[in-house]
Amino acid sequence: QAHWVASGGGWMQAGGSLRLSCAPSERPFNIYRVGWFRQGPGKDSEFVASIIWDSGRTNYADFVQGRFIVSRDSAKNTLFLQMNNLKTEDAAVYYCAYKPRLLADYGSWGQGTQVTVSS
């Protein structure tokens, strides 16, 4: 089963930007929606943003507040998360996962990427 592997994390000062990428280890048979999630130190995992693969329709968690943009390159089977105006509370391990169908659960969780934000 394919696992989505995130990359692009690193260290950034508050107010800066990072662009994360995520791609499956092998192309799933069908992709309905792909989502970004994160887990900060001592916190539960939380939803960040998602995109419907075919239409490009997006949705975001309230805390994003227009700072993040989720996008995808269908030809390269790659998901992106452009994170702008980073805050210290954005520090977390960021993961992606996908839904093969509308009513399926998110699955194929893979390796996350660490984002560190300093004040």
Side-chain angles (χ1 to χ4, degrees):
Q1 186 178 13
H3 294 282
W4 290 70
V5 180
S7 61
W11 174 86
M12 181 55 63
Q13 280 190 319
S17 299
L18 282 174
R19 189 190 195 209
L20 306 183
S21 300
C22 198
S25 55
E26 58 185 69
R27 213 287 183 183
F29 180 74
N30 189 60
I31 303 172
Y32 171 70
R33 183 188 291 267
V34 190
W36 283 101
F37 299 80
R38 71 185 189 183
Q39 186 168 19
K43 299 180 181 178
D44 293 331
S45 178
E46 61 182 349
F47 169 79
V48 177
S50 71
I51 187 167
I52 296 177
W53 201 253
D54 287 343
S55 69
R57 184 172 180 176
T58 59
N59 71 305
Y60 298 90
D62 290 343
F63 63 77
V64 169
Q65 297 176 330
R67 299 180 297 123
F68 297 176
I69 301 172
V70 60
S71 62
R72 86 281 189 243
D73 183 332
S74 299
K76 297 181 179 180
N77 295 324
T78 303
L79 177 74
F80 302 101
L81 185 68
Q82 177 68 42
M83 303 190 296
N84 302 316
N85 191 22
L86 283 163
K87 303 177 180 181
T88 55
E89 53 263 43
D90 293 322
V93 178
Y94 285 72
Y95 301 86
C96 60
Y98 89 111
K99 292 188 177 188
R101 300 172 300 280
L102 172 63
L103 297 180
D105 292 329
Y106 279 104
S108 296
W109 303 87
Q111 179 179 333
T113 188
Q114 177 73 52
V115 172
T116 303
V117 184
S118 63
S119 58

